[in-house]
Amino acid sequence: MSVLTFADAQKVLEAGLKKAEEIGQPMNVAVVDGGGHLLAFGRQDGAIRASIDISQRKALTAILMNRRTDELAPLVQPGAELYGLEQTAGGMVTFGGGIPLYRGGELVGAVGVSAGTVDEDVTVASAAAKAFS
């Protein structure tokens, strides 16, 4: 069974924080294990406080749904097949910034990023996830 180690989580976190600095947007970056439990977290100076929770929920949502959170947005619109999904499991986040992490094809964790625009969150989360792959 594959796992996401603390060293892996630190590498993901550092890559995300570095990308946030590069784009000039302070971020909250959360890295969770395969059970959705927090392994590493960073909040840069100036990142909004509401996004502390949102970043962790994005990572958890990526685990629970086994997919990127930006892929969920069209599925939760009124009339779509997963409308209301964000009201389940204690409040999932269904917009971009959460990306699952895989090792050998097995889901082992996720990264969640929040505090910028959705595009900025996805950019930072993608850089963080790339550091793991």
Side-chain angles (χ1 to χ4, degrees), residues 4 12 30-34 57-72 95-103 105-113 125-126 128-133:
L4 183 71
V12 170
V31 184
V32 300
D33 65 16
R57 287 181 183 274
K58 284 181 182 183
L60 178 59
T61 300
I63 290 288
L64 293 174
M65 297 303 294
N66 195 18
R67 65 189 324 164
R68 295 171 59 109
T69 58
D70 55 348
E71 295 173 353
L72 295 170
F95 49 91
I99 300 178
L101 303 172
Y102 301 92
R103 175 173 276 139
E106 185 177 342
L107 179 65
V108 295
V111 59
V113 175
S126 296
K130 186 177 180 182
F132 179 69
S133 58

Side-chain angles (χ1 to χ4, degrees), residues 75-78 80-88 94:
L75 302 173
V76 299
Q77 300 305 309
E81 63 183 289
L82 297 180
Y83 179 65
L85 177 73
E86 60 275 11
Q87 303 304 316
T88 65
T94 57

Side-chain angles (χ1 to χ4, degrees), residues 103-128:
R103 175 173 276 139
E106 185 177 342
L107 179 65
V108 295
V111 59
V113 175
S114 187
T117 66
V118 172
D119 285 342
E120 289 170 333
D121 292 355
V122 170
T123 295
V124 172
S126 296

Side-chain angles (χ1 to χ4, degrees), residues 13-73:
L13 175 64
E14 289 171 10
L17 296 173
K18 180 180 177 188
K19 183 55 131 179
E21 286 178 19
E22 286 175 11
I23 68 170
Q25 175 58 52
M27 294 286 192
N28 293 289
V29 179
V31 184
V32 300
D33 65 16
H37 304 286
L38 190 64
L39 269 177
F41 179 81
R43 176 175 168 244
Q44 293 175 311
D45 295 341
I48 60 174
R49 291 176 188 88
S51 289
I52 296 168
D53 181 59
I54 295 168
S55 65
Q56 293 176 53
R57 287 181 183 274
K58 284 181 182 183
L60 178 59
T61 300
I63 290 288
L64 293 174
M65 297 303 294
N66 195 18
R67 65 189 324 164
R68 295 171 59 109
T69 58
D70 55 348
E71 295 173 353
L72 295 170

